[in-house]
Amino acid sequence: MSGADPPRDTGGLDAAVAETMRRTGASVAAFYLLVPEREVLQMVTVGGVPADLAAPWARVALASPAPVADAARERGMVWIGDHAELTRRYPRSAVLLPYQLALAALPVEGDRLWGVLLLIWPGSHPPRTTRRERSNLASSSRRLARLLDEAADAGRPPTAPRTPRVLGAEDIRRPAGPEYLMAAADFAERLPEGCCALDLQGHVTFVTARGAALLGADPRTLLGTFPWQSLPWLGDPVYEDRYRAAVVSRRPVVFTACLPPDRWLEFRLHPDASGVSVQITPVAAGRHTGAPAQNAPDAPAAPPGVPDTAPDAAPTSASAAPAPGFPTAADAAVADGAASGHPASLAPARLGQLYQLLHLAAALTETVGVRDVVDLIADQIMPAFGAQGLVLSTAESGRLRITGSRGYPPEVIERLDGLPLDTRFTPAGQALASGVPSFFGHPDEMARIYPEAPHVSGKQAWAFLPLIVSAHPVGICVLTYDRPHDFPAEERAVLTSLAGLIAQALDRARLYDAKHQLAHGLQQALLPHRLPATEGLRVAARYLPATRGMDIGGDFYDVVRIDAGTVAAVIGDVQGHNVAAAALMGQVRTAVHTHATAGAAPEEVLARTNRLLADLEPGLFTTCLYARIDLERGRARLVSAGHPPPLLRRPDGSALRVGVPPGPALGIDEGAAYPVTEIDLPPGAVLVLYTDGLVERAGTDIEEAIDQLTGRLATWSAEDPERLLELLIGHAGPAERRTDDIALLLVQRTPGTAGADRRP
């Protein structure tokens, strides 16, 4: 992750997180600050892992499926006992942490919800927490909340840095004295095998003369470097991953590697909270034979896309296979052409960037509409690469239409929107035509060929990423920076690979949006725009689609005025969530409306509609509830075709479930009969008709859910049907958790008051 250095901790937050690690025995800890205005959790400080490992999860959208986001939304602890549970519940997080571990995410709440504390333990931790441990975790969260409350009261509230502060070993453990350090160095030098030490970031902090000799390097050139960078033959990501596995799992890891041309070495990694000690031992001739890199017993396996093997007999290191369907960074040509002044280059990405790519790829597969794609790029991809601006354009009718942006004033977006595909105003047209990304690290580079572009945008660096799907240009993604920005070859490689994934997600999202708009338009055209005004009757109705990401369904409602003193209320649910369901819904509503206005009895209305659907053979079944209300007598006659029972709130405030014997769903049995139930409907009574989306919950019996809703209905006021309708919808839970559509129709008999048209 690029950007300015994180600010120094001024409120003791880092010390508190380090103390929490010591108290709980966690190997990794991080504090996420809630940023309400952006609806994100931003990592402020982290300890126990390398900075680049934390980078992909340094910023988490509050709505994302992640443990820390769930802990913040639900205001409760999320516990993950092992990696299998993490994979099952949070597959995207499991991609980032492919190691055996246990995990807890706890809300940090004092005067306000400050954020979330994340703690990770090695896989040796029991999969279940004890009561004592839960109490200890809760007290750790409270201590952190008190610290933040006090800092805020003192005028020093925590702020979200661009990059998180990373705790070093000296923060987590007190360093030993110089005499001890000298004795330890002497001890290591006397050992027959080679030794070296790495800190939690992966830097070489100590190496013995024997260790340096085995590695074929001068000790002075190794200190302070990453071994996979200072020793080219260890440059394969598979070896860096072995180090990561040791750091996160806190378990010994063993692997072999070949020092060209033919010297095989065995590396034994022994981790703890301060870093990793490495034993380096020559492998006897005949023992290596392509010996696999392996973990100690019960240690975690290599992550997806990274093989756990060393080379067979070649004088170079093993090559990590890419994850299925993803190009390797070395395959990604990141030539930006003569326009940028940078030569074409190929570079293998570091392991952290590969994990980042896998994480972002997994996130892109979860996007549904174009807005989802724009939000994901803004919330995760921009911070991951340190960008401050975004312009996402699609190719439409020979022009680049901006579908989303961040970090630009409206007047600039208006100036850039609608540029022709062959524009010479910016590099967007050339990049899209050639399919080759363009990178400009400084305004002078841009101004040499596109003199107006820097002045219009006010940005200082640009990455133009063409979005191509099957040789067809979909659009272009432009990441921009407020300051000059170098684009290292590795970063270009990852961005180029990422552009292909964005292109596929954007193409899929555009198709979904088109289909969704068609279905939504069809359904809105078929639902009533107004409910009829009837003397002595008040009505309220609402249709709510399911969680974003599902298609429009076939739920419907209607109120039919039969004569001056009689109305019919109907609600139904067509199986499915697609255009076919919406179309069938229109046919059912029309049929019911026609038979009702013709004066048919309630049982005949459903019987005739049922025969019609049986003749049409739509392949979908429909549930329906029909109520014919006699306003003068205060009676209602109800029939049901497999629909959930209505609820009745009496004038005295009591509520009950109306027992309506259900007949078969419409369209199944051509000769089905529908029994009639007659009830009193006194003035002030409210009849509640609904579809099953209002009461269905995963893992909950629907009969119990209906009883619970009936009990709540008795506690609410019925003076205003619209307000009562809102309370019923609120009982269904947050919109993001609904898995089915909801149609809701409330009918209240009033003593002689004139109704008014109400928009649903």
Side-chain angles (χ1 to χ4, degrees), residues 378 483 512 517 612:
R483 293 177 298 278
Y512 170 83
Q517 290 170 7
L612 171 65

Side-chain angles (χ1 to χ4, degrees), residues 299-528:
V306 181
D308 202 15
T309 58
D312 290 334
T316 56
S317 62
S319 296
F326 297 111
T328 62
D331 290 335
V334 291
D336 57 2
S340 68
H342 292 290
S345 60
L346 293 173
R350 290 258 48 84
L351 186 65
Q353 293 171 319
L354 292 176
Y355 274 128
Q356 195 171 67
L357 184 59
L358 284 172
H359 168 65
L360 295 174
L364 283 167
T365 62
E366 298 174 5
T367 57
V368 178
V370 171
R371 178 52 49 192
D372 294 331
V373 177
V374 174
D375 289 344
L376 186 136
I377 297 173
D379 293 340
Q380 298 193 39
I381 295 177
M382 282 175 58
F385 294 94
Q388 290 81 47
L390 162 71
V391 175
L392 185 68
S393 302
T394 56
E396 298 177 11
S397 303
R399 293 188 175 274
L400 289 170
R401 298 294 180 185
I402 296 177
T403 57
S405 65
R406 293 288 192 280
Y408 282 87
E411 59 271 17
V412 173
I413 294 302
E414 183 178 358
R415 174 69 180 86
L416 298 175
D417 191 21
L419 293 174
L421 291 181
D422 59 353
T423 178
R424 296 293 299 172
F425 181 73
T426 76
Q430 180 184 357
L432 192 59
S434 65
V436 177
S438 294
F439 299 91
F440 299 83
H442 192 278
D444 292 344
E445 297 179 14
M446 175 75 78
R448 281 200 298 267
I449 303 176
Y450 304 95
E452 295 181 75
H455 302 292
V456 171
S457 69
K459 300 296 182 180
Q460 301 289 299
W462 301 260
F464 290 83
L465 308 175
L467 307 179
I468 311 294
V469 175
S470 300
H472 174 69
V474 174
I476 191 160
C477 177
V478 185
L479 298 179
T480 60
Y481 299 78
D482 293 340
R483 293 177 298 278
H485 177 85
D486 291 331
F487 292 96
E490 293 178 359
E491 184 173 87
R492 297 188 194 187
V494 175
L495 284 171
T496 301
S497 298
L498 190 59
L501 301 175
I502 295 174
Q504 295 179 27
L506 181 61
D507 192 46
R508 184 180 65 250
R510 292 173 67 191
L511 291 174
Y512 170 83
D513 282 350
K515 180 181 177 182
H516 186 274
Q517 290 170 7
L518 173 62
H520 183 77
L522 175 61
Q523 185 174 49
Q524 291 304 306
L526 295 174
L527 284 172

